[in-house]
Amino acid sequence: MRVAVTGAAGQIGYSLLFRIASGEMLGKDQPVILQLLDLPQAQKAVKGVMMELEDCAFPLLAGMVATDDPNVAFKDADVCLLVGARPRGPGMERADLLTANGAIFTVQGKAIAENANENVRVLVVGNPCNTNAYIARAAAIKVGRTNPDNYHGMLRLDHNRALSQLAAKTGRPVASLKKMVVWGNHSPSMYADYRFCESNGDSVKALVNDHAWNNDVFLPTVGKRGAAIIEARGLSSAASAANAAIDHVRDWVLGSDDWVTMGVPSDGSYGIPEGIVFGVPCECKDGQFKVIKGLEIDEYSQGKISITLKELEDERAAVADMLK
Ligand code: NAX
């Protein structure tokens, strides 16, 4: 399988590529070809990463390409991990950030639709990842060919962060926790919802039984975890973000026996306008993902979902002109 990774010279790239090449994402029997995209000024650093990949002598690594041309990077790709993005610079407003990234993701969405495998699966990690995925999808739809449902944003890091906080609170092993959901935008507005979560048949909500902890500790801790890591490490999350990307794609391709949170283009379920890339619970089987529908949304949850939806609607409005 051909896997395109953008931002290959960056810190997430450095945590991601070795795990893809070792078979952790697509299976221990699946050879992979890595197609690495980065900016012209980062090509030398990409070459260095490729030298290290060679030095691992991974049995599954069947080839590598480095390029600054999206048409080359996405050629016949089966999976595209869009990690590279424009970071927020000093004095940059959120609207400027959205526009700068809009320029990148319209080009990349078009290049994917024109060059990749028709069944390509695309996961956007680069922030703001939901809206970047929305933009790439909109550009891809204009070309046709690829499946518009397959343009995802990454909410899996928030999902995994929520699981580890709940494991610590309940004293239950993280592997015992099932049916976690994170609704909405990959931003502090996301709503990590453990109302359906179970541990060995017990309701996690009943085990926690502490609304104040949910509202005042859990949600802010998960929502602001990225900022807490920057504060502690002096750099943003990288290994955990790469791990979440691996989890998202592995479950999508190989299946999962648990619910997984994916940022997927809405089909209108849960009152989310069509096309907005929103974190929802999914089941993965036979290489396909399916949104889990019909979950009860209580008043508190609806309030939280409305806040994160409003943020995404504002982001959509800010990029609307670029997509005409
Ligand atoms: P780095 O700054 O270390 O690396 C980014 C790389 O992307 C650089 O090599 C840069 O040259 C490249 N790049 C920039 N524009 C590009 C373009 N148009 N085409 C190809 N390559 C391009 O950032 P890193 O720490 O790796 O983070 C990458 C992105 O992930 C950021 O946008 C970051 O905000 C986002 N994150 C998303 C997370 C999520 O859960 N969705 C969590 C972690 C992370 O914050």
Side-chain angles (χ1 to χ4, degrees):
M1 287 177 82
R2 292 178 178 271
V3 180
V5 179
T6 77
Q11 51 153 5
I12 295 177
Y14 196 71
S15 293
L16 186 59
L17 296 171
F18 298 85
R19 296 186 60 190
I20 299 172
S22 75
E24 287 182 56
M25 185 170 85
L26 296 172
K28 295 285 181 188
D29 54 359
Q30 175 62 58
V32 290
I33 296 174
L34 291 173
Q35 307 188 157
L36 309 178
L37 180 74
D38 210 306
L39 299 174
Q41 62 270 29
Q43 290 302 306
K44 189 169 168 226
V46 176
K47 296 274 162 23
V49 177
M50 288 169 76
M51 287 160 71
E52 284 205 73
L53 282 159
E54 282 167 10
D55 293 350
C56 295
F58 287 119
L60 292 172
L61 185 56
M64 282 188 276
V65 181
T67 179
D68 59 7
D69 180 350
N71 294 310
V72 174
F74 299 134
K75 187 79 194 145
D76 300 326
D78 300 291
V79 176
C80 297
L81 298 171
L82 308 187
V83 180
R86 177 76 189 274
R88 196 168 188 159
M92 207 171 171
E93 297 294 331
R94 194 165 173 85
D96 302 332
L97 183 74
L98 286 164
T99 317
N101 278 297
I104 295 172
F105 286 88
T106 44
V107 169
Q108 294 189 356
K110 181 167 180 279
I112 290 170
E114 286 174 346
N115 294 285
N117 182 324
E118 287 181 20
N119 299 315
V120 65
R121 296 174 173 91
V122 180
L123 176 65
V124 180
V125 176
N127 279 322
C129 69
N130 296 55
T131 296
N132 288 342
Y134 171 82
I135 293 168
R137 174 179 184 264
I141 286 173
K142 285 187 190 162
V143 176
R145 242 178 49 85
T146 60
N147 181 352
D149 294 340
N150 283 358
Y151 288 77
H152 291 186
M154 190 171 91
L155 268 289
R156 185 60 176 264
L157 181 53
D158 309 281
H159 179 103
N160 289 347
R161 284 168 173 166
L163 285 177
S164 85
Q165 295 298 321
L166 282 172
K169 174 73 175 171
T170 58
R172 297 289 179 104
V174 78
S176 77
L177 302 174
K178 305 284 174 203
K179 299 189 176 174
M180 182 68 213
V181 190
V182 181
W183 304 94
N185 199 5
H186 169 67
S187 92
S189 75
M190 53 96 240
Y191 171 45
D193 178 4
Y194 57 81
R195 291 176 303 135
F196 310 101
C197 201
E198 294 166 5
S199 165
N200 300 328
D202 299 326
S203 153
V204 168
K205 185 168 183 243
L207 288 173
V208 171
N209 192 24
D210 188 346
H211 181 72
W213 178 80
N214 176 47
N215 195 68
D216 305 337
V217 179
F218 174 71
L219 290 177
T221 301
V222 178
K224 296 181 191 157
R225 188 72 166 177
I229 284 165
I230 293 174
E231 170 65 26
R233 206 172 84 88
L235 288 167
S236 56
S237 326
S240 55
N243 179 67
I246 301 255
D247 283 353
H248 183 123
V249 175
R250 184 201 57 228
D251 289 345
W252 191 356
V253 174
L254 301 176
S256 164
D257 61 358
D258 187 13
W259 296 6
V260 291
T261 300
M262 293 174 145
V264 305
S266 176
D267 61 1
S269 341
Y270 298 106
I272 310 305
E274 250 180 279
I276 285 200
V277 175
F278 204 82
V280 287
C282 293
E283 282 172 319
C284 297
K285 209 177 151 198
D286 301 329
Q288 309 288 326
F289 73 94
K290 207 168 84 192
V291 177
I292 294 166
K293 306 215 172 155
L295 296 176
E296 190 221 326
I297 306 297
D298 61 21
E299 201 181 326
Y300 176 84
S301 302
Q302 188 56 59
K304 294 286 183 195
I305 288 172
S306 299
I307 291 170
T308 192
L309 173 59
K310 167 81 170 52
E311 188 175 57
L312 282 169
E313 287 179 315
D314 290 349
E315 290 182 13
R316 180 179 63 171
V319 299
D321 280 349
M322 306 184 67
L323 300 176
K324 278 185 183 149

